[in-house]
Amino acid sequence: MNQRITKILLHLLSTVIVLSFVTPVFAQSAHLSLEATEIAVGGSTEMRIIVENVSTASSPEIGEIDGLKIRSRGVSQQMQIINGQVSRTTTYSYLISGLKPGEYRLGPFTVKAGRQNLTTSALTLKVVEQATTGPATPADEGSVQPVAGDPLDGQLFLRLALPKRQYYTGEKVRAQIKLYVGEIALQSLHYPQLNQAEVLVEGMEQPAKSREIINGQSFQVFTFSPELTMIKTGEFTLGPVQVDCSILVRNHPFPSFFEEFFAEERPLQVQSNTLDLEVLALPVTGRPADFSGAVGQFELEVSASPTEVLQGDPITLKMIITGQGNLSLASAPVITGLEQFKVYDPQKDFLLTTDPSQEKVVFEQIVLPLEASITALGPFTFCYFDPATAQYQRLTVPALPITVRENPDFQRTTSLPIGRETGEELGQDLVFIKNHPGHLRQRSEIFYRQSWFWLLQIIPLLFFLTIYTYRRYKQKQEADTPAARSARAYRQANKALQSASQRLAAAGPSPSLLDELNQLLREYLGVTYNYVAAAITANIADELRTKIDDQLLLAMIKEFFAHYDYYKFTGATFDRHAALKLINLTEDIIYGLNAEQHKINNTGRRGDSHGK
Amino acid sequence: MGNKIRQHNLIGRGLLVLGFLFFLPLLGGAQPENPSSPEALFAQANTHYEKGEYQAAVALYQHLVECGYESGHLFYNLGNSYFKLGEKGQAVLYYEKARRLIPHDADLKANLAYALSGVEEGGNTWWLAVKTAVTHLAPLGTWITAASICYALFFCCLILKMLFPALTTNPTGQPKTWWRRSVVITGALLLLTVSLGALTFLGQNTPQGVVLTAGDALFEPVVGASTHYHLSPGIRVRILEEKGEWILVRRPDGKRGWVKKQLVGEL
């Protein structure tokens, strides 16, 4: 039993491991969703077209629907990387307001993604009379938007507030998003969501908690204070802000002590009022050339350390800008009178402040005085746009007194006035990016990182060595040395023996076969031991005693010639048995002599014995 | 007659199949591009760059780099994105990486020069200039390919002589002039390409880096040690030694100093 459970667990584990390595395949698709399928006349809901895993998609064409007002709320994109695979979601948001009661069919909508058309499903939106149900009309600043339906009516609402209605591009403002909670039990609360292309939302932190009394009723208030930066010019409607939360609903007769056990948790989405805003572009007329890009109200503080230096020694300048506004795009203050200094690029760093409404940026810059005659550093100017006065302002810090002493070891290098370093005055800029990825490949895929490439390099060398060795072998074979002669003779003798055996098998023994074998052996002995073949007789065995150690071999040679003489001259019958015996004897002799030759060649013994 | 018609039909069908096989790759090419393919991600990053969303562009380009992809254009675009974000050190680092792959790209040369304008590297010796020029003559892959071709040709000449002696040798037994010249030229080219390839390889494998953020090079690898010289972003340095979280770097003018590792991005 235990083994079975272990087996099942192992199977499960292996399945999980395998699944975790599987790379998911993300398909392209488009969906349509409605925040609420029923709204009151004058109320609104959000419609989203969610396109998944499409790199570039054109905005869907929504068109106009009689009885509804549809406004685009922008596009948001989200990218997720899971197990190395990237999935991408593009969401087109639309605010749909009901003008007339009725049922409206929304969709299907088509999104063009590259060469493909993705189509969403269709949904029905019901617009009912104001009196029945649905969220209230988007209210103006300061009003509240109750959530429809008992028992929540008027007990949970959200308010969005901004200090003014007109802003400038780049201006930063702190918004107030207040969630009012009355006589209900709030179970969970999520951060407010404001996805709007016209503003950049930052600093959505933990809410401040307080209590407020409205129309005699006490409310617990959660206040979120995010910073909004206006990034697009023009008129637009900010909001509604949405907050997801859940409340406990009592649907039992038990006393409140048991409420948490038996109450039902109901998820809700609360929407705030909307605000109509206007964002103006920064005025072009009167814009100073040294405008830093900062928008707000600021102060400039400059310090230098050390103020007493040797010629060529570094002085660190600290230029601190503090104030309310947007400093993220601000460039460093302009320093004049730096002709006699060598200047390094300033380094920008954001500092934390105790007051969250304040921003603080420090620019650190190193300058090297090149002349001993320098007595001051600066002055420093910082130009910004003040939205309160709608004018460009300039902060000036007078020159700082410094003492530069002459340095005898100082070697003057080329002075680089500050203006030259920026590059802009040289009429230069970056060349645009490349549209094509070029030879985009994995590092490991590069040919010279592959083992096959280096193995391929061996082929010419191997080919060369093979041909070289073969040629050497052939040359050796064709040379007129005793060894070469012996090898050739051996090959010829073998061929002749083979032919003799075949003829014996086919036609039977004949006198010519006897002569042929005699001729064959004599020729072999003649070539190998440098004798005249025709002059070789049975006495050859005695003569070869000085050249061949193997006595058995000599006896076999003697026996061959004895047999030859016997059949040739006595008239004895040279039958099949005798022929086969003689062929085998010849074969043994030639094989033995060849082995003897090899032995001599390898050991070098009797090396001169062939050259008679 | 019937056979002839059948034969015609067969030929027609055969042509149809051949035509289908010919156009099959084209049909495959008409499929929508995989959105998670490296090319699609590169295109998405470019779109972010064009919209001025440099941070998003950097994230996508970096994702490709982290996945092991490389190309001169990828590093070039990454360098541009970093430059737009004001990170000059990172920009120079990626331009230098791109330079190893596309050393003769005019846009890259212009942008690298622009990024380095105002960066004081403390002087440059003629020897260093020559070395840099030699090691950036061509990408390493080009030298390896060229050397491989010369090597194969060299052996082809030798093999030709062994296989066809009549073709390569005069009746006097002397090698023919064309063969002798071929051997000398391919041998010399082989030597040259191998030498340049080795120089490029050594140049690329010598630890080098680019200063990412401004900081001081100290005399000792200790916090609070005396400053030897100041390093501003974009300065290219040679990494000589490593000690814990410190590295010893050498500026192009030869001055050495200890800096924290995170100050320098390795090439």
Side-chain angles (χ1 to χ4, degrees), chain A residues 88 431 434 436-437 443 457, chain B residues 44 68 71 73 77 111 151:
Chain A
R88 188 182 180 130
V431 182
K434 307 279 184 191
H436 192 265
R443 268 179 72 79
Q457 302 308 308
Chain B
Q44 281 175 33
S71 85
H73 289 191
N77 285 7
N111 284 4
Y151 163 81

Side-chain angles (χ1 to χ4, degrees), chain A residues 53 55 85 88 342 345 366 428 431-434 436-437 439 441-443 446-448 457 463 471, chain B residues 35-36 44 46 67-71 73 76-77 80 88 105 107 111 114 145 148 151 159 162 230:
Chain A
N53 303 313
S55 54
Q85 287 284 319
R88 188 182 180 130
K342 182 173 177 175
D345 285 342
I366 289 171
Q428 286 187 334
V431 182
F432 196 59
I433 51 167
K434 307 279 184 191
H436 192 265
H439 299 295
R441 67 219 155 158
Q442 291 267 8
R443 268 179 72 79
I446 299 170
F447 69 95
Y448 58 81
Q457 302 308 308
F463 199 48
R471 265 190 62 82
Chain B
S36 58
Q44 281 175 33
N46 281 5
C67 286
Y69 288 99
E70 67 167 36
S71 85
H73 289 191
Y76 169 88
N77 285 7
N80 266 22
K88 192 187 260 190
D105 189 277
D107 296 346
N111 284 4
Y114 182 52
T145 311
S148 178
Y151 163 81
I159 291 166
M162 287 192 293
H230 183 76

Side-chain angles (χ1 to χ4, degrees), chain A residues 41-295:
Chain A
V41 173
S44 56
T45 186
E46 189 173 281
M47 178 179 80
R48 295 191 189 106
I49 297 171
I50 301 154
V51 186
E52 286 181 337
N53 303 313
V54 169
S55 54
T56 48
S58 60
S59 294
E61 281 189 21
I62 303 300
E64 283 185 7
I65 300 172
D66 188 26
L68 294 178
K69 186 181 175 186
I70 304 174
R71 276 184 299 168
S72 171
R73 295 183 60 192
V75 186
S76 67
Q77 286 188 329
Q78 197 182 6
M79 194 178 75
Q80 269 191 316
I81 300 167
I82 303 164
N83 289 346
Q85 287 284 319
V86 180
S87 73
R88 188 182 180 130
T89 309
T90 310
T91 308
Y92 299 91
S93 304
Y94 299 88
L95 190 70
I96 301 183
S97 307
L99 304 177
K100 283 193 282 188
E103 281 194 7
Y104 299 92
R105 188 177 161 79
L106 300 170
F109 300 114
T110 304
V111 181
K112 198 171 180 193
R115 297 169 187 168
Q116 236 187 355
N117 283 332
L118 302 173
T119 308
T120 69
S121 55
L123 292 173
T124 305
L125 176 69
K126 195 174 175 185
V127 180
V128 296
E129 287 292 346
Q130 179 85 37
T132 53
T133 182
T137 318
D140 202 359
E141 182 191 350
S143 66
V144 295
Q145 184 183 0
V147 173
D150 277 336
L152 305 174
D153 199 9
Q155 296 303 313
L156 185 66
F157 55 92
L158 193 64
R159 180 191 285 175
L160 167 67
L162 284 180
K164 53 182 185 167
R165 298 295 174 83
Q166 201 179 57
Y167 295 92
Y168 284 92
T169 319
E171 192 176 345
K172 209 175 231 184
V173 62
R174 199 164 280 278
Q176 263 200 347
I177 301 167
K178 284 183 169 182
L179 180 72
Y180 290 81
V181 184
E183 294 294 319
I184 53 166
L186 189 69
Q187 179 70 3
S188 67
L189 176 63
H190 293 264
Y191 281 103
Q193 289 172 24
L194 177 62
N195 299 320
Q196 203 140 8
E198 292 87 351
V199 291
L200 184 72
V201 185
E202 291 171 300
M204 191 75 82
E205 290 168 356
Q206 285 286 334
K209 289 177 193 166
S210 60
R211 291 203 82 84
E212 278 183 31
I213 293 172
I214 299 170
N215 297 332
Q217 189 186 342
S218 175
F219 285 88
Q220 189 181 16
V221 184
F222 296 88
T223 308
F224 298 90
S225 305
E227 277 185 334
L228 309 183
T229 307
M230 307 301 160
I231 53 177
K232 279 190 179 174
T233 53
E235 288 182 12
F236 70 96
T237 303
L238 183 73
V241 179
Q242 294 154 358
V243 171
D244 289 320
C245 60
S246 65
I247 57 163
L248 288 177
V249 181
R250 191 179 167 184
N251 52 4
H252 57 85
F254 302 113
S256 63
F257 177 77
F258 296 105
E259 190 159 289
E260 284 200 14
F261 293 100
F262 297 102
E264 181 196 338
E265 187 177 340
R266 186 191 296 179
L268 281 174
Q269 191 175 66
V270 190
Q271 283 192 359
S272 78
N273 55 305
T274 57
L275 298 171
D276 291 326
L277 302 180
E278 186 185 6
V279 178
L280 305 170
L282 295 180
V284 180
T285 49
R287 183 184 293 179
D290 58 346
F291 172 53
S292 66
V295 180

Side-chain angles (χ1 to χ4, degrees), chain A residues 308-378:
Chain A
E308 284 190 25
V309 288
L310 285 175
Q311 190 186 2
D313 277 1
I315 297 173
T316 306
L317 275 172
K318 262 191 183 176
M319 296 167 279
I320 301 170
I321 302 160
T322 322
Q324 285 186 335
N326 187 1
L327 280 170
S328 56
L329 299 171
S331 56
V334 176
I335 314 165
T336 43
L338 281 175
E339 291 79 17
Q340 294 178 317
F341 288 85
K342 182 173 177 175
V343 183
Y344 288 96
D345 285 342
Q347 299 299 311
K348 186 178 176 181
D349 204 3
F350 281 86
L351 300 177
L352 288 174
T353 56
T354 48
D355 181 0
S357 65
Q358 295 270 319
E359 279 214 351
K360 195 172 187 178
V361 162
V362 61
F363 288 95
E364 271 194 13
Q365 191 160 17
I366 289 171
V367 293
L368 276 69
L370 302 172
E371 300 294 340
S373 57
I374 297 168
T375 54
L377 177 55

Side-chain angles (χ1 to χ4, degrees), chain A residues 452-471:
Chain A
W452 63 258
F453 174 77
W454 296 106
L455 285 172
L456 209 66
Q457 302 308 308
I458 302 171
I459 291 175
L461 185 67
L462 274 180
F463 199 48
F464 170 77
L465 288 175
T466 310
I467 292 171
Y468 179 77
T469 314
Y470 177 73
R471 265 190 62 82

Side-chain angles (χ1 to χ4, degrees), chain A residues 15-28:
Chain A
T15 313
V16 167
I17 290 167
V18 167
L19 284 175
S20 66
F21 282 99
V22 169
T23 312
V25 177
F26 299 112
Q28 295 184 336

Side-chain angles (χ1 to χ4, degrees), chain B residues 37 93 134 177:
Chain B
S37 70
L93 178 73
V134 168
T177 315

